Amino acid sequence: MTRIEIHTYLAKKVEAAWMAYESAMLQRPARSIFAKAGEIDATRTCFEELALNAKAYPDNLLEHLLRFENPLETVREQWMREQNMDCSGAFRHALWSLCEYGPEPEDTPAIGGMTME
């Protein structure tokens, strides 16, 4: 396949999968949608990369995706597996940065009237 054919066919498959996914999500109750926030974000990220930024990736990798019935779902599942790592170090750093660099807490007592003193 030529580069143009790969990109065109992949874009069509990914856009159809995104529209079906979006439609299915919008049929769910709101609480269920919130529970799927991580999956929705991963799906959106993969959609944008495959449909809007495909030229940034080698043709052989994109052509491989065409072998799957739903390349968007397939790459999303792999993306989520690879993103599912221990983030405690990064989270600890975010907490430290918050304490060191602000913003400053409001002058209100903590929940339940407890303070940090």
Side-chain angles (χ1 to χ4, degrees):
M1 293 181 90
T2 68
R3 181 174 179 79
I4 293 172
E5 290 171 328
I6 292 168
H7 287 235
T8 300
Y9 190 44
L10 183 62
K12 286 180 183 179
K13 287 184 86 166
V14 168
E15 287 171 11
W18 172 254
M19 290 187 336
Y21 180 79
E22 184 179 46
S23 178
M25 279 295 142
L26 292 174
Q27 300 302 313
R28 295 171 153 285
R31 187 174 303 268
S32 173
I33 293 173
F34 275 95
K36 294 277 193 182
E39 178 185 297
I40 293 167
D41 182 53
T43 306
R44 181 193 48 79
T45 297
C46 294
F47 167 74
E48 289 174 356
E49 287 303 306
L50 294 174
L52 307 176
N53 196 31
K55 64 183 174 286
Y57 304 103
D59 291 344
N60 65 317
L61 299 179
L62 299 176
E63 189 170 20
H64 179 74
L65 289 177
L66 292 175
R67 297 178 180 174
F68 296 97
E69 183 178 328
N70 187 339
L72 179 60
E73 180 180 351
T74 302
V75 76
R76 177 201 66 214
E77 292 303 316
Q78 184 63 31
W79 177 250
M80 288 178 71
R81 277 191 295 277
E82 293 194 17
Q83 298 304 305
N84 190 18
M85 60 183 176
D86 180 14
C87 62
S88 61
F91 193 78
R92 179 185 307 261
H93 185 268
L95 292 174
W96 176 83
S97 293
L98 180 63
C99 289
E100 290 295 313
Y101 303 113
E104 292 295 318
E106 297 84 19
D107 289 333
T108 58
I111 296 174
M114 299 177 69
T115 63
M116 296 296 285
E117 297 174 12

